[in-house]
Amino acid sequence: MKHLYGHQVYVASAGLKPGEADPFLVVVLDEIGIELGKHRPHTFAELEDASFDMAISLSPEAHHWALELTRTTAIATE
């Protein structure tokens, strides 16, 4: 998304655990011209901003974490 839209939208990526980027991801992105460089995956807890319009999960465990994050950070309306 950052590659396609730059600074037109705010995009943050988070995973379940910190560490090195998945080697498969590095190869796939390299094939389409996106260089990850020294990118280090962040966890949900490391996100700078927990308010977002959309969350995309790529595994059942990530889906569970995203649901919990949105449930606990939802703003109550009157």
Side-chain angles (χ1 to χ4, degrees):
M1 185 117 172
K2 286 181 184 180
H3 179 73
L4 296 174
Y5 296 101
H7 295 289
Q8 294 176 4
V9 295
Y10 175 75
V11 178
S13 175
L16 298 174
K17 50 189 165 188
E20 298 299 317
D22 182 336
F24 180 71
L25 172 71
V26 174
V27 170
V28 169
L29 291 179
D30 187 54
E31 286 180 0
I32 61 172
I34 300 174
E35 173 62 45
L36 281 183
K38 296 184 181 190
H39 173 77
R40 182 186 65 81
H42 301 281
T43 64
F44 285 111
E46 294 173 313
L47 286 177
E48 293 178 18
D49 186 355
S51 62
F52 46 84
D53 295 320
M54 181 182 295
I56 300 170
S57 59
L58 301 178
S59 72
E61 189 177 3
H63 181 75
H64 170 75
W65 277 94
L67 286 175
E68 284 300 309
L69 181 64
T70 58
R71 187 175 62 81
T72 59
T73 58
I75 298 173
T77 59
E78 295 181 37

